[in-house]
Amino acid sequence: MMNWRKDTLSFYNQNSDEFVSGTLAADMSDARSRFVSRLPLKALILDFGCGSGRDTKAFLDAGYQVEATDGSEELCERASAYTGIQVKRMLFQDLDAVDRYDGIWACASVLHLPAEELKTVIGKIAVALKRNGVLYVSFKYGEYEGMRKGRYFTDFTEEKLRTFWESFPSLQIVETWITEDVRPDRKDEKWISLLARRV
């Protein structure tokens, strides 16, 4: 396999301005509401692959405690400046927390992992969540896996995602739903979102 990780991170480092301007105003309030409605007050959230910092800031503004990470050095700098907290540069595979988080928010982030690596990382997420902790994760809708426009993607349909999720008995699916892309120029793209609870 090509160096998908290096290429994907290079894409974000080289296109950080364009990426931030294109995603910062994207309205993710519906997904955030579904997620936080299942969290305790003042929950500790990990924004796992925070990108621009859009959702980290929204969670902070709503009174939650937030830790944020991203693999891109450039995005870490921009998200730190935007949110006012230090965003940690970290690859998904380096997550090693145990029973730490009330919620993990992986919005359009872990979709950049090949399916086999994604399986390992979801396992790490399960360990990092407290019991009854909640995971939100989203993927582009479809069957494709591979490089697309400079980045690696693993896409999912409902059936493909449910089959994939059978590997994680400790992460019980709460709901899945499909949406159009919230960015005006991407209305032809669809996303699948999943909420799961650690049992």
Side-chain angles (χ1 to χ4, degrees), residues 4-23:
W4 59 269
R5 181 185 294 121
K6 181 182 176 185
D7 291 346
T8 300
L9 289 174
S10 291
F11 175 92
Y12 284 110
N13 283 327
Q14 292 165 14
N15 298 279
S16 57
D17 288 339
E18 183 182 351
F19 176 76
V20 168
S21 65
T23 57

Side-chain angles (χ1 to χ4, degrees), residues 20-191:
V20 168
S21 65
T23 57
L24 200 56
D27 183 5
M28 291 300 299
S29 56
D30 176 66
R32 285 196 304 264
S33 294
R34 295 183 194 226
F35 175 67
V36 299
S37 71
R38 294 173 169 85
L39 297 180
L41 290 174
K42 298 186 178 177
L44 176 59
I45 296 170
L46 172 64
D47 191 347
F48 196 42
C50 71
S52 65
R54 173 197 63 215
D55 300 318
T56 289
K57 190 167 192 320
F59 293 137
L60 288 168
D61 289 349
Y64 295 97
Q65 306 172 73
V66 187
E67 294 178 5
T69 69
D70 203 276
S72 160
E73 201 169 348
E74 292 292 327
L75 289 178
C76 284
E77 284 185 21
R78 282 160 176 73
S80 295
Y82 180 67
T83 62
I85 67 168
Q86 186 62 44
V87 174
K88 181 181 179 183
R89 185 173 177 232
M90 187 180 87
L91 297 177
F92 298 124
Q93 295 87 343
D94 295 334
L95 180 66
D96 61 0
V98 178
D99 294 327
R100 176 165 178 78
Y101 300 105
D102 299 295
I104 295 179
W105 175 263
C107 180
S109 61
V110 294
L111 51 63
H112 290 310
L113 294 169
E116 279 308 306
E117 293 224 15
L118 177 61
K119 200 167 278 190
T120 299
V121 169
I122 298 292
K124 289 174 175 280
I125 286 173
V127 172
L129 281 168
K130 295 177 182 175
R131 189 165 298 280
N132 293 318
V134 177
L135 167 66
Y136 170 81
V137 63
S138 61
F139 302 93
K140 286 184 180 287
Y141 188 87
E143 297 278 359
Y144 181 76
E145 181 179 348
M147 293 298 291
R148 180 169 55 210
K149 298 179 180 176
R151 294 169 288 176
Y152 198 94
F153 285 93
T154 296
D155 299 349
F156 283 96
T157 60
E158 300 98 322
E159 184 178 352
K160 183 181 171 187
L161 188 56
R162 285 187 179 276
T163 300
F164 180 82
W165 217 259
E166 289 170 2
S167 299
F168 314 109
S170 66
L171 288 174
Q172 190 171 51
I173 294 175
V174 175
E175 63 172 327
T176 61
W177 68 99
I178 295 166
T179 53
E180 290 183 343
D181 198 300
V182 296
R183 293 166 292 183
D185 60 333
R186 301 281 188 93
K187 288 297 184 186
D188 57 330
E189 295 183 24
K190 286 189 163 44
W191 291 78

